[in-house]
Amino acid sequence: MQLGVIGLSTMGGNLARNAARNGATVAVYNRTQERTDEFIKAYKTEGTFVPCRDYSYLIAALKPPRPILIMVKAGDAVDQVIAELVPLLSKGDILIDGGNSFYRDSERREKELTKKGIRFLGMGVSGGEEGALWGPSMMPGGDKSAYELLEPLLKKLAADDGSTELTTGGGKCVSYIGSGGAGHFVKMVHNGIEYGLMQLIAEAYHLLKSEGKVPNKEFAEIFGGWSKSGFLQSFLIEITAKIFRKKDDLTGLDLIDVILDEALQKGTGKWTTTAAMDYGVPIPTITAGVDARIISGWKEFRMEEGNFAPPALEEKTIDKTSLIEDVRFALELSFTAAYAQGLQLLSAASREEKWEIPMSEVARIWRGGCIIRSALLPLYQKLIEGDKEAGKTMLEYTGGEHQRAWRRVISLSALRGIPMPATSASLSYYDAYRTKRLPQNLIQAMRDFFGAHTYRRVDKPGTFHSDWQ
């Protein structure tokens, strides 16, 4: 086994180490020679590395067909690396873009490289620096023959999916996603779901802190408990518990309390929201997560006195124990909405683009290694596969007391002026889908009134226009 790696930042370097540890000869190159030298000095005992001072050395260090993983900043930098590599490559060589590239760029690159006889994979990689080193979730799309050639190595690199029944993919969190930009599209949607889940967790924290007066130490215990059972058993809940235990090295205070309340983003959430608009798929929980980050960035405007009148809050005695239980149920049900929205978007895009994304495989390879791994994913995998018992489980869970708790949480947040946009959007999403007759008949009537846009009737086929005046 062999692999070339271009770009030795945290993700690229850790993937190179992962490959070497699993028996591959890894030729490594970084734009700055100092970084390559530092990498070799630090990790040379972990496996077989070949340091390369330029691309010609990298090509010479690998045997055709050469697999080369590009781990540089998404965008123009990827195109520049490809342009410099292509004259040195042989037909049949494989270029793998493992960064967070826009899926349309991956589609373009595959088409351009195919004309030159070079195989291309756009591969989403999730798991952060630890995942890259010890086992990420990988979502490769593009040239299928390239994936088949690399599958043995990729399976060695990937995380285990935790399944007892070894489904397609052999229990490893990697599988061929589809042609063109499918791999990077799936990773983009993965990141969109991540935006939604993180916002939901933040909203639960906000309500419990403001209305339940929960201290940080107790938050660590609450999230720690939630991470061990039920539908909230997940990587993000697990790390949230750890965050509340961390002290600030500078002040000795809880680190969470000295972090500025502005959340940054790199664009994949926005891409997901834009794609959903393009494909006509509702993803309100994910979009609310993107919006919330944007609002948080308007810190100066939020701090200006007199911008908004304080809410007339309803006084109500809060039972902390009951509130914590309600928030748990609301968070669980909102999580189900975020995953459902992302999977619905993947399904719609796959149909339109003819990618043939294996949906149950996507749910499976997200079960380990990746940031959104969760106890919900095995259930969604079974739902996609048509398991009636899984459908019954989901139906029972979304009803009864759990749903009442969901509604109580959102009612309390509105009465007490606590913004919970993603949680509210999740319930509205659920309610819209369970409502047999929505009020959009009025919207269509207004469109026909002012623009003669016509409407359809409930009692006969065809389109109609009325003289509303």
Side-chain angles (χ1 to χ4, degrees):
M1 294 186 296
Q2 60 172 355
L3 182 68
V5 178
I6 295 174
L8 296 176
S9 62
T10 301
M11 288 294 288
N14 281 0
L15 285 169
R17 293 170 62 194
N18 188 345
R21 189 181 66 250
N22 281 286
T25 297
V26 185
V28 295
Y29 167 81
N30 197 75
R31 182 174 54 85
T32 56
Q33 183 65 39
E34 292 81 4
R35 175 57 186 155
T36 304
D37 294 340
E38 291 170 1
F39 179 85
I40 295 297
K41 182 179 179 181
Y43 307 118
K44 62 183 177 182
T45 61
E46 294 186 1
T48 304
F49 295 105
V50 181
C52 302
R53 66 188 185 195
D54 58 32
Y55 290 150
S56 62
Y57 275 77
L58 183 78
I59 299 300
L62 301 168
K63 299 176 182 178
R66 305 174 182 89
I68 301 174
L69 175 63
I70 302 170
M71 295 298 297
V72 301
K73 187 177 180 180
D76 293 340
V78 178
D79 287 324
Q80 183 178 343
V81 169
I82 291 174
E84 293 173 3
L85 280 174
V86 165
L88 306 173
L89 298 174
S90 303
K91 287 189 176 181
D93 285 348
I94 302 167
L95 294 182
I96 312 140
D97 176 11
N100 271 333
S101 288
F102 186 51
Y103 73 102
R104 292 298 187 196
D105 288 339
S106 296
E107 297 220 310
R108 168 179 56 79
R109 288 164 186 152
E110 187 197 14
K111 290 176 182 177
E112 292 172 352
L113 289 167
T114 297
K115 293 176 183 177
K116 298 173 182 177
I118 308 300
R119 291 179 281 184
F120 178 81
L121 288 174
M123 184 171 73
V125 180
S126 176
E129 58 182 290
E130 286 297 305
L133 181 59
W134 299 110
S137 173
M138 293 182 287
M139 299 147 255
D143 190 296
K144 191 172 185 179
S145 69
Y147 172 76
E148 290 170 347
L149 186 68
L150 290 172
E151 186 178 45
L153 175 60
L154 294 178
K155 282 189 175 182
K156 285 182 177 292
L157 269 60
D160 293 328
D161 66 10
S163 61
T164 53
E165 71 295 347
L166 296 185
T167 54
T168 305
K172 303 293 285 188
C173 292
V174 61
S175 190
Y176 179 70
I177 295 301
S179 60
H184 275 135
F185 189 87
V186 170
K187 177 54 165 54
M188 178 192 76
V189 173
H190 164 288
N191 286 19
I193 295 171
E194 182 183 304
Y195 272 62
L197 299 180
M198 292 171 74
Q199 178 61 26
L200 290 168
I201 294 169
E203 290 173 12
Y205 156 64
H206 192 180
L207 185 65
L208 288 175
K209 183 179 178 68
S210 175
E211 299 305 310
K213 310 303 180 187
V214 175
N216 292 335
K217 182 179 179 180
E218 191 173 347
F219 270 123
E221 296 169 359
I222 291 169
F223 282 98
W226 290 352
S227 72
K228 291 181 173 64
S229 64
F231 287 161
L232 290 183
Q233 189 176 355
S234 62
F235 173 74
L236 286 171
I237 295 292
E238 179 184 329
I239 67 169
T240 301
K242 294 178 180 178
I243 286 169
F244 284 109
R245 295 189 179 100
K246 180 68 174 176
K247 295 291 184 181
D248 177 30
D249 293 338
L250 297 178
T251 64
L253 300 172
D254 292 341
L255 182 55
I256 186 66
D257 292 333
V258 298
I259 296 176
L260 187 67
D261 59 326
E262 289 185 28
L264 305 180
Q265 54 184 314
K266 291 188 175 180
T268 48
K270 182 183 75 173
W271 292 348
T272 307
T273 295
T274 302
M277 297 292 180
D278 291 340
Y279 292 113
V281 178
I283 57 166
T285 306
I286 294 169
T287 299
V290 177
D291 284 343
R293 293 198 191 189
I294 295 171
I295 290 174
S296 76
W298 288 75
K299 179 72 174 177
E300 291 184 10
F301 183 72
R302 289 191 287 120
M303 296 298 289
E304 289 180 15
E305 293 184 9
N307 277 340
F308 304 100
L313 300 179
E314 178 181 306
E315 292 299 325
K316 184 179 181 181
T317 302
I318 302 295
D319 179 78
K320 187 169 79 169
T321 301
S322 297
L323 179 60
I324 292 170
E325 191 70 2
D326 279 357
V327 168
R328 174 176 183 159
F329 291 147
L331 193 53
E332 285 179 336
L333 290 174
S334 297
F335 264 38
T336 67
Y339 284 107
Q341 291 163 29
L343 292 168
Q344 185 182 10
L345 174 55
L346 287 181
S347 181
S350 180
R351 284 195 304 271
E352 186 162 328
E353 303 292 343
K354 297 180 172 58
W355 283 329
E356 298 183 353
I357 293 174
M359 295 298 298
S360 66
E361 274 291 273
V362 171
R364 185 190 66 78
I365 65 175
W366 284 351
R367 286 171 59 168
C370 75
I371 302 301
I372 65 170
R373 59 186 185 267
S374 159
L376 274 168
L377 285 165
L379 179 61
Y380 272 109
Q381 183 184 349
K382 291 177 180 178
L383 283 169
I384 293 166
E385 292 168 351
D387 188 313
K388 292 183 179 179
E389 285 302 311
K392 183 180 177 182
T393 298
M394 181 64 79
L395 187 62
E396 289 176 347
Y397 192 79
T398 55
E401 182 56 30
H402 292 178
Q403 188 179 130
R404 285 191 287 272
W406 201 7
R407 297 181 188 281
R408 284 196 296 268
V409 163
I410 294 168
S411 297
L412 177 64
S413 71
L415 290 171
R416 306 307 284 264
I418 306 298
M420 298 187 76
T423 311
S424 300
S426 300
L427 179 59
S428 293
Y429 171 82
Y430 170 82
D431 280 339
Y433 269 118
R434 68 165 189 80
T435 301
K436 292 183 179 179
R437 184 164 173 81
L438 291 166
Q440 273 62 38
N441 53 325
L442 178 57
I443 291 174
Q444 201 58 25
M446 287 188 279
R447 294 183 74 242
D448 190 55
F449 189 114
F450 64 70
H453 292 296
T454 74
Y455 55 87
R456 290 185 295 165
R457 298 177 60 94
V458 298
D459 54 356
K460 61 178 67 177
T463 56
F464 300 86
H465 166 62
S466 293
D467 181 1
W468 297 93
Q469 300 288 1

